[in-house]
Amino acid sequence: MAGEMAQATKYPLSMRVLHWLRAVIILGLIWSGWYMTSLPEDTPMATFDLFYPNHKQFGVLVWLLALVHLAIRWSNRATLPHEPEALKPWEKTLSHAVHRLIMLLTVLIPLLGYSMSASFTQSDGVPFFFFGELPEILPKNDNAFEIFQALHKYSAYALLTLVALHAAGAIRHRILDKGGETDALPRML
């Protein structure tokens, strides 16, 4: 059709870089979350001082990167690679659901983490690298903290499950259809 923009075969470089950067940071955050919350009470304070502030600031970074990703995706929506026609209907539905849920959780989980930290009565704040601490706009309430803590934790488990499903789908199509239309990996490299 005249006037229609050509579809790309790869995602824009900015989206590819953000995809892999967020993947590394998110996996690191999930690992560090598991590790730091399993530390015994007699762990030296320096260890806690290393993990908790860094977990918080990298969580804020993931949130910001997710917003940037969404903005770039929106601005390039007309030229992004098309969905492979060879996908079965259930694969298209699953792919859409997994991608949307991953994006939703990469925005939601950091907000839950912020809410958890901001509502905790003994919080030491939410740092963000060289910019200082974020303002804590929620009232201190340990009951709210426990709710945010549970939501943050179980949402992270859900995100990890979705990331595993996303990777499994990419690997499956890479193995079964290398170089074919459903081999999505080259679009993200």
Side-chain angles (χ1 to χ4, degrees), residues 5-142:
M5 299 182 106
Q7 292 289 311
T9 57
K10 284 187 171 225
Y11 284 92
L13 179 61
S14 56
M15 286 183 71
R16 289 181 279 152
V17 169
L18 281 172
H19 175 270
W20 294 107
L21 179 62
R22 284 180 24 242
V24 168
I25 296 171
I26 287 169
L27 292 175
L29 284 168
I30 291 171
W31 173 83
S32 70
W34 277 338
Y35 181 77
M36 70 188 198
T37 57
S38 67
L39 291 171
E41 290 292 324
D42 61 350
T43 300
M45 190 51 99
T47 303
F48 288 108
D49 290 343
L50 171 69
F51 278 93
Y52 279 86
N54 283 313
H55 185 83
K56 291 175 185 182
Q57 56 195 5
F58 277 97
V60 172
L61 179 61
V62 162
W63 181 74
L64 291 171
L65 292 175
L67 295 180
V68 169
H69 171 93
L70 288 171
I72 293 170
R73 183 173 189 81
W74 178 259
S75 67
N76 288 291
R77 67 190 178 280
T79 59
L80 294 178
H82 70 286
E83 179 180 71
E85 294 296 324
L87 288 176
K88 297 176 178 113
W90 69 267
E91 290 175 315
K92 290 179 184 180
T93 301
L94 183 60
S95 174
H96 283 282
V98 167
H99 283 101
R100 285 181 172 88
L101 286 170
I102 286 174
M103 282 310 302
L104 173 67
L105 289 173
T106 58
V107 171
L108 182 64
I109 292 170
L111 292 176
L112 291 168
Y114 167 83
S115 299
M116 181 175 79
S117 184
S119 63
F120 187 48
T121 56
Q122 298 176 29
S123 174
D124 55 355
V126 179
F128 188 59
F129 299 105
F130 308 107
F131 299 99
E133 292 197 5
L134 300 180
E136 293 184 337
I137 59 175
L138 297 177
K140 298 297 182 186
N141 180 328
D142 285 341

Side-chain angles (χ1 to χ4, degrees), residues 138-178:
L138 297 177
K140 298 297 182 186
N141 180 328
D142 285 341
N143 291 328
F145 161 77
E146 289 179 14
I147 293 168
F148 289 128
Q149 183 182 41
L151 290 171
H152 182 71
K153 176 182 177 179
Y154 293 115
S155 296
Y157 288 144
L159 179 58
L160 182 59
T161 301
L162 290 167
V163 167
L165 189 58
H166 174 67
I171 292 167
R172 176 185 180 268
H173 287 291
R174 181 70 177 166
I175 291 170
L176 297 179
D177 192 27
K178 186 173 183 175

